[in-house]
Amino acid sequence: MSDSVPFGALYVVATPIGNLEDMTFRAIRVLKDVSLIAAEDTRHSRRLCTHFGIETPLTSCFEHNEARKGDYLIQRLQRGEDIALISDAGTPAISDPGSLLVQRCCEAGIVVHPVPGASACVAALSMAGLPTDRFCFEGFLPAKQQARRQALQCFVAEQRTTVFYEAPHRLINFLGDVIEVLGEERQLVVVRELTKLHEERVGGTAREVLEYFSQGKVRGEIVVLLAPAEPQPIEESVEESLLRELRDTDQPMKVVAKQVAKLHGLSGSEVYALAVQLREKGQLDPQ
């Protein structure tokens, strides 16, 4: 219909995780310009708004009312109002409320704009001193020990840095479970109180980090970064790998040679030459 009101937009706005100076100019402008701010905790966010002179009305949108409140917010967005979504700290929908609302907006054809800023996950990665070319984010693992240990089994051979969030009162138990499941020599880093006055980085083996935090009460927001597992030795020979891979795939020999070369830490041309020799000996089907 030509006279229909265009939908408003949802702005997913990151807020500081500790230091208020990390608030961006754009975030302040957006929070002032929108019709409504959907906040995880309106009492907490009201202090933030007061600090930056933001007078936009607030409404709550948290874990236990997000599904119900989503209907109300979608209706206002469909009437053409712009709404900002914020959490207590960091980027909404990342181990915080908001993902359901964002999903519903996408399904309803409502534009969602990110307003980037602070994220504990990315901040911790940037200063942990662990490999960052490949990483995965797991957020909070289960609070109960048996379920947590079962979840940790997935990271025995993980070749990426893995980021977890943890509550301070559970950190000691978390580290104990890492030792039990992954071994006391597994390297990890614990980052505490990011961007705040008592920011701290503690790295080493799981045993060393556990001993450090066992000396007193653990305080503050916690990010645990698990280092990649040590590569396991390859038990089969290059020739065996080639024969196995070529038997189980229809890919060209050159492609398979590159894959096997990476597995054994060799050059692709070297492994391809071996594959040619095996073919000439009749051990491989012609390709």
Side-chain angles (χ1 to χ4, degrees):
M1 296 173 60
S2 59
D3 59 346
S4 63
V5 178
F7 288 169
L10 178 71
Y11 291 84
V12 182
V13 181
T15 55
I17 57 177
N19 193 322
L20 289 177
E21 292 181 0
D22 291 335
M23 189 74 166
T24 68
F25 292 121
R26 183 183 176 208
I28 295 172
R29 178 183 59 78
V30 168
L31 293 181
K32 287 182 176 181
D33 289 348
V34 294
S35 300
L36 182 68
I37 298 172
E40 180 180 3
D41 185 334
T42 56
R43 295 166 300 178
H44 178 92
S45 296
R46 190 166 285 113
R47 293 194 293 270
L48 177 77
C49 290
T50 298
H51 181 85
F52 289 106
I54 299 166
E55 299 179 352
T56 306
L58 292 161
T59 188
S60 64
C61 183
F62 57 96
E63 180 182 2
H64 300 297
N65 82 340
E66 185 176 0
R68 175 173 49 82
K69 182 56 73 72
D71 293 336
Y72 169 71
L73 296 174
I74 292 291
Q75 289 173 7
R76 293 192 60 164
L77 286 160
Q78 289 176 331
R79 291 203 300 263
E81 298 181 65
D82 291 335
I83 296 176
L85 173 68
I86 63 175
S87 61
D88 289 348
T91 303
I94 308 298
S95 279
D96 271 332
S99 61
L100 179 59
L101 177 61
V102 171
Q103 180 181 348
R104 291 189 60 184
C105 285
C106 292
E107 292 171 350
I110 296 168
V111 174
V112 179
H113 295 295
V115 182
S119 167
C121 171
V122 174
L125 277 165
S126 72
M127 54 88 76
L130 296 177
T132 56
D133 53 331
R134 298 173 66 235
F135 66 88
C136 57
F137 174 69
E138 287 293 319
F140 288 94
L141 290 187
K144 293 187 176 180
Q145 184 180 72
Q146 183 177 354
R148 187 167 58 238
R149 288 187 175 184
Q150 185 175 358
L152 284 169
Q153 290 284 351
C154 298
F155 307 102
V156 171
E158 178 58 66
Q159 295 298 297
R160 299 169 293 180
T161 295
T162 308
V163 184
F164 304 93
Y165 289 163
E166 191 50 278
H169 65 278
R170 289 201 301 260
L171 178 63
I172 298 300
N173 291 336
F174 181 98
L175 294 172
D177 291 339
V178 169
I179 291 172
E180 181 67 26
V181 177
L182 306 178
E184 63 180 19
E185 295 301 314
R186 188 67 174 263
Q187 295 284 321
L188 56 81
V189 173
V190 172
V191 179
R192 189 179 69 85
E193 291 289 81
L194 275 165
T195 78
K196 299 176 184 176
L197 180 62
H198 300 292
E199 180 180 274
E200 182 177 36
R201 175 199 179 278
V202 179
T205 66
R207 174 63 64 186
E208 291 169 341
V209 176
L210 174 60
E211 290 175 353
Y212 176 86
F213 282 106
S214 296
Q215 296 174 12
K217 186 175 182 179
V218 182
R219 300 179 185 277
E221 302 296 325
I222 303 292
V223 183
V224 182
L225 303 100
L226 185 68
E230 292 293 331
Q232 297 299 309
I234 304 299
E235 296 181 357
E236 63 182 3
S237 67
V238 179
E239 183 175 316
E240 289 171 334
S241 295
L242 268 173
L243 292 171
R244 174 176 54 78
E245 291 291 339
L246 286 167
R247 183 181 64 247
D248 297 338
T249 184
D250 295 328
Q251 292 183 313
M253 194 164 66
K254 282 188 176 181
V255 174
V256 174
K258 287 182 179 179
Q259 294 172 346
V260 173
K262 185 176 182 180
L263 184 66
H264 288 269
L266 301 172
S267 71
S269 58
E270 184 179 356
V271 176
Y272 181 70
L274 175 60
V276 171
Q277 292 177 12
L278 293 173
R279 184 179 61 188
E280 291 173 349
K281 292 178 182 179
Q283 294 179 257
L284 297 177
D285 294 330
Q287 288 196 33

